[in-house]
Amino acid sequence: EVQLVESGGGLVQPGGSLKLSCAASGFTFSGSAIHWVRQASGKGLEWVGRIRSKANSYATAYAASVKGRFTISRDDSKNTAYMEMNSLKTEDTAVYYCTKDWNYGMDVWGQGTTVTVSS
Amino acid sequence: QSALTQPASVSGSPGQSITISCTGTSSDVGSYNLVSWYQQHPGKAPKFMIYEVSKWPSGVSNRFSGSKSGNTASLTISGLQAEDEADYYCCSYAGSSTWVFGGGTKLTVL
């Protein structure tokens, strides 16, 4: 079964850090680009960033709202992608999804992990 | 990068057809045939419905169809069914390795 499973969410104070994980199974993870998308409660989807495969030099890209604060990485030996989030703000509170790229769309989604930034 | 513009809500009766619009700019929707659509039921992860404007991923019903004209993409659902009631989001590649989503549209099946 093709699957993505996020973990690592939780409660963090403003200015703090958190690292999310996205474990993949059922497909060739090493050849796939992975996106992170977030959704604040009651709000729409927001694209956060993407990491490409080794063949594409692990290139990363980020939304302006998180650039310089969030870093996406991957460990193909563990079939896992990561997103390290620093200098967190209250407006970063959301459910964070990882999702697999398919022809510039996103075909496989995890169940999401909740990040709450609050004092 | 501003979000793509979708109507907040649309509605239709079972069996009818509805269309959801998604308006962007010449920098995103208008520049690339790389619009995708997602269905999201409450409390669930989004589901991939359409890619490259009008292509169906495996397993998606052909009651769902996509199109594009200029800076506006559209999703049409024909033969509305109760289980189609959900939120729908468009997404476009926006160049420079970035993507932008629409604000979402709540579909109510009357």
Side-chain angles (χ1 to χ4, degrees), chain B residues 7-60:
Chain B
S9 63
V10 298
S11 63
S13 299
Q16 288 187 331
S17 295
I18 62 95
T19 296
I20 299 171
S21 61
C22 168
T23 301
T25 70
S26 58
S27 297
D28 38 62
V29 175
S31 284
Y32 308 96
N33 289 323
L34 296 173
V35 176
S36 52
W37 288 88
Y38 304 86
Q39 175 192 66
Q40 186 179 36
H41 287 106
K44 301 294 187 181
K47 178 185 176 182
F48 189 42
M49 303 300 287
I50 295 284
Y51 70 102
E52 291 181 3
V53 175
S54 60
K55 297 180 179 179
W56 291 285
S58 175
V60 172

Side-chain angles (χ1 to χ4, degrees), chain B residues 65-85:
Chain B
S65 61
S67 62
K68 191 188 90 168
S69 178
N71 297 338
T72 299
S74 298
L75 174 71
T76 297
I77 308 174
S78 59
L80 266 181
Q81 299 178 2
E83 57 262 36
D84 298 334
E85 185 163 295

Side-chain angles (χ1 to χ4, degrees), chain A residues 12-73:
Chain A
V12 61
Q13 292 188 338
S17 299
L18 209 56
K19 187 172 184 177
L20 307 183
S21 298
C22 169
S25 58
F27 64 95
T28 305
F29 177 79
S30 61
S32 301
I34 298 293
H35 298 266
W36 287 90
V37 175
R38 68 184 179 183
Q39 186 172 34
S41 181
K43 303 297 184 181
L45 301 173
E46 180 187 10
W47 179 79
V48 175
R50 180 224 65 199
I51 185 166
R52 299 186 74 180
S53 65
K54 180 179 181 180
N56 293 289
S57 304
Y58 299 126
T60 55
Y62 302 93
S65 58
V66 306
K67 198 169 187 178
R69 299 189 299 123
F70 290 13
T71 301
I72 300 173
S73 60

